[in-house]
Amino acid sequence: MTLRLYDTREQQLRDFVPLDPENITMYVCGPTVQSGPHIGHVRAALSFDLLRRWLDVRHGRVTFVRNVTDIDDKVLANATEVEPWWALAYRMEQEFTQAYSAIGILPPTYEPRATASVPQMQELIQTLIERGHAYPAPDRSGDVYFDVRSWPAYGTLTNQSVDAMEAAEDADPRGKRNPQDFALWKGAKEGEPADAVWQSPWGQGRPGWHIECSAMSRRYLGDEFDIHGGGLDLRFPHHENELAQSTAAGLGFARYWVHNGLVTVGGQKMSKSLGNFTLAADVLKEHDPLVVRYALAAAHYRSSLDLTASSWTEAEAALGRIGGFLQRVGRIAGGGIGYFVGQSLPAPFTEAMDDDLGVPQALAVLHETVRAGNSALDSGDTDAALDAARAVLAMTSVLGLVPSSASTASTAHATALDSLVQEMITQRAQARADKDWAAADRIRDAIAAAGITLEDTPAGTHWSIDG
Ligand SMILES: [Zn+2]
């Protein structure tokens, strides 16, 4: 069986044939750290976390690069006198990292910041100028543009002709040969901070957004690599421009293009003006991180994901069913349930994941296994229940949805404690009924010494832990 992925450039499913089957190379566009992450950012990162985890199961090693765009017009625009652009960028980068790690998105192999690869960007721009695909603006502004008319393949990623494209609004159009030409290098302008400027053969300035990814993917993954990923909203102009830059410079670049769908809230696109802009931090304040991960993973990565109140309650219920089954098995398994991902994954789960990362179908297999496992427990078939539990653990491990051992342990502790205290409450009640006051007092003192308070009410005796 082969993994098939939907390649957005070819607009079809393709068998995934890596350059090196023992080391998959993948580049995903990371955030521009101008403000904190919204839920769409987190969903995008999660889509590629799931792909990366599956490639890891399939191939054993993935070199995964996700960049941080820490210099950009928008970062400069959001800086203040008290918080310079680089401090803002770092603070926001940390907010992204926190949101990602909260829901179990694994850190990339490398996470390069754009500002640390400026010489590599300049080298690529120089190559493009030498090959006749880029030119410095004649107005001596310091800008350098990519010449889209010099590259007939420009537009192939999004299937557009240059004439039908909108003008690139990333720099002063007066220096451009064509309105669609886009900036590779942006000459420094008055009023911009002196520390946001790098020396270059074309004058002081800073890189354009698109060249950052072309240079960083090459630096960390080589001239050609397996998968380039990002949100559907990045296909144009960002990815179209990355593809043009790298291939016009003579590089093989990405062999597969994978794009995730966007997040809508209550059926509407997220926007500040509609007031439905959902920040990851707010969602994580309200919901358990595992519930958030489940809710964001449950739709296929290519479909748009509409978040409503029921997204969270459904995710919570689904995780409750998985956790409930594992706890039931845990009570009879004693010393834990050993499993190996490779051996314990059911074939239909593997088939679903191989079919363009079919997580919804994979989750269906997971829940079917939970149902079968519960039936096995009901009928006393311990071996079948243990097999089901191993499969459930393997599947949840691949998806990053293992119910946390901490919460499982604390639930188990609470259950054990409750059963002991209830037994003592019953014995105390019996001693009182027998008018054995010495025994009743002994039990009460033992409970109090354990830091537990009893409260007698008409409905029975309740207990709680002091303080
Ligand atoms: Zn990019």
Side-chain angles (χ1 to χ4, degrees):
M1 254 183 332
T2 315
L3 167 64
R4 295 198 311 161
L5 286 174
Y6 186 85
D7 183 347
T8 15
R9 175 163 52 172
E10 297 202 2
Q11 295 184 295
Q12 61 176 349
L13 286 166
R14 289 175 63 201
D15 287 353
F16 178 62
V17 184
L19 283 164
D20 173 2
E22 284 168 18
N23 179 21
I24 307 307
T25 44
M26 178 156 96
Y27 184 92
V28 171
C29 294
T32 299
V33 281
Q34 55 180 324
S35 52
H38 59 64
I39 203 69
H41 289 119
V42 180
R43 195 255 178 140
L46 176 61
S47 300
F48 292 102
D49 182 60
L50 291 163
L51 177 58
R52 183 246 191 115
R53 284 167 182 260
W54 187 241
L55 289 167
D56 205 31
V57 170
R58 281 265 195 198
H59 296 275
R61 185 175 165 204
V62 182
T63 303
F64 173 45
V65 177
R66 189 186 61 223
N67 73 294
V68 175
T69 294
D70 59 343
I71 181 74
D72 185 85
D73 289 349
K74 288 176 260 177
V75 177
L76 292 179
N78 286 357
T80 61
E81 269 186 25
V82 288
E83 187 177 41
W85 65 274
W86 46 269
L88 168 75
Y90 185 55
R91 184 165 64 87
M92 292 306 151
E93 181 187 321
Q94 286 178 306
E95 283 196 18
F96 274 87
T97 303
Q98 275 166 17
Y100 291 160
S101 68
I103 66 160
I105 293 171
L106 300 172
T109 320
Y110 308 112
E111 191 170 17
R113 296 186 186 123
T115 49
S117 291
V118 175
Q120 287 76 8
M121 297 168 200
Q122 293 187 353
E123 189 190 326
L124 201 52
I125 295 169
Q126 192 60 47
T127 304
L128 287 168
I129 293 173
E130 284 163 13
R131 291 172 77 107
H133 299 300
Y135 59 95
D139 61 6
R140 297 185 174 273
S141 60
D143 291 352
V144 180
Y145 302 112
F146 185 88
D147 184 353
V148 298
R149 298 271 177 202
S150 77
W151 188 244
Y154 187 65
T156 48
L157 182 69
T158 48
N159 214 6
Q160 302 182 74
S161 73
V162 172
D163 297 315
M165 284 178 197
E166 285 178 21
E169 291 175 350
D170 57 357
D172 190 338
R174 284 173 301 182
K176 295 184 180 184
R177 292 179 190 165
N178 304 289
Q180 292 84 3
D181 291 354
F182 56 89
L184 301 173
W185 188 260
K186 297 182 168 194
K189 290 176 194 65
E190 260 194 50
E192 289 182 351
D195 58 1
V197 162
W198 286 259
Q199 303 297 328
S200 86
W202 321 288
Q204 293 195 335
R206 59 193 158 88
W209 175 32
H210 318 299
I211 200 73
E212 296 180 358
C213 288
S214 283
M216 285 184 281
S217 60
R218 180 193 196 185
R219 182 176 183 186
Y220 291 93
L221 297 175
D223 291 355
E224 189 174 13
F225 55 93
D226 293 315
I227 297 171
H228 193 314
L232 210 49
D233 52 340
L234 294 183
R235 281 172 73 225
F236 189 85
H238 185 51
H239 289 168
E240 190 73 74
N241 293 355
E242 280 186 37
L243 175 65
Q245 291 162 165
S246 295
T247 46
L251 310 177
F253 207 49
R255 291 155 54 88
Y256 296 83
W257 287 85
V258 177
H259 288 97
N260 67 276
L262 305 182
V263 176
T264 55
V265 175
Q268 286 181 307
K269 196 176 170 210
M270 259 191 290
S271 80
K272 283 190 175 132
S273 57
L274 285 172
N276 64 355
F277 204 76
T278 310
L279 289 174
D282 292 339
V283 171
L284 286 164
K285 255 181 244 156
E286 277 175 41
H287 304 284
D288 182 90
L290 205 61
V291 169
V292 176
R293 184 176 176 98
Y294 190 103
L296 296 179
H300 190 266
Y301 78 89
R302 279 200 287 126
S303 49
S304 58
L305 169 65
D306 188 44
L307 287 177
T308 62
S310 70
S311 309
W312 313 115
T313 50
E314 282 164 23
E316 207 169 343
L319 284 166
R321 286 194 294 277
I322 299 165
F325 167 62
L326 290 175
Q327 278 177 23
R328 277 187 82 190
V329 180
R331 283 197 281 275
I332 57 162
I337 307 157
Y339 69 99
F340 294 101
V341 168
Q343 288 167 21
S344 306
L345 287 178
F349 179 90
T350 301
E351 281 159 28
M353 294 298 279
D354 274 347
D355 184 12
D356 194 28
L357 212 67
V359 172
Q361 293 79 8
L363 285 172
V365 176
L366 172 60
H367 286 291
E368 183 45 48
T369 311
V370 166
R371 269 191 294 278
N374 274 320
S375 304
L377 283 174
D378 293 342
S379 62
D381 188 344
T382 309
D383 287 346
L386 283 171
D387 277 348
R390 283 187 200 99
V392 166
L393 283 167
M395 290 185 274
T396 50
S397 152
V398 168
L399 298 172
L401 291 171
V402 182
S404 80
S405 54
S407 65
T408 311
S410 64
T411 309
H413 290 162
T415 309
L417 182 61
D418 184 56
S419 120
L420 286 173
V421 176
Q422 293 298 347
E423 176 57 27
M424 290 179 84
I425 289 170
T426 307
Q427 287 185 16
R428 173 170 162 263
Q430 188 59 50
R432 282 170 146 188
D434 297 343
K435 300 195 191 315
D436 183 352
W437 308 116
D441 286 352
R442 220 171 31 245
I443 295 167
R444 185 202 58 207
D445 291 348
I447 291 174
I452 287 167
T453 307
L454 297 184
E455 186 193 351
D456 293 310
T457 73
T461 303
H462 295 295
W463 68 271
S464 58
I465 296 176
D466 296 347

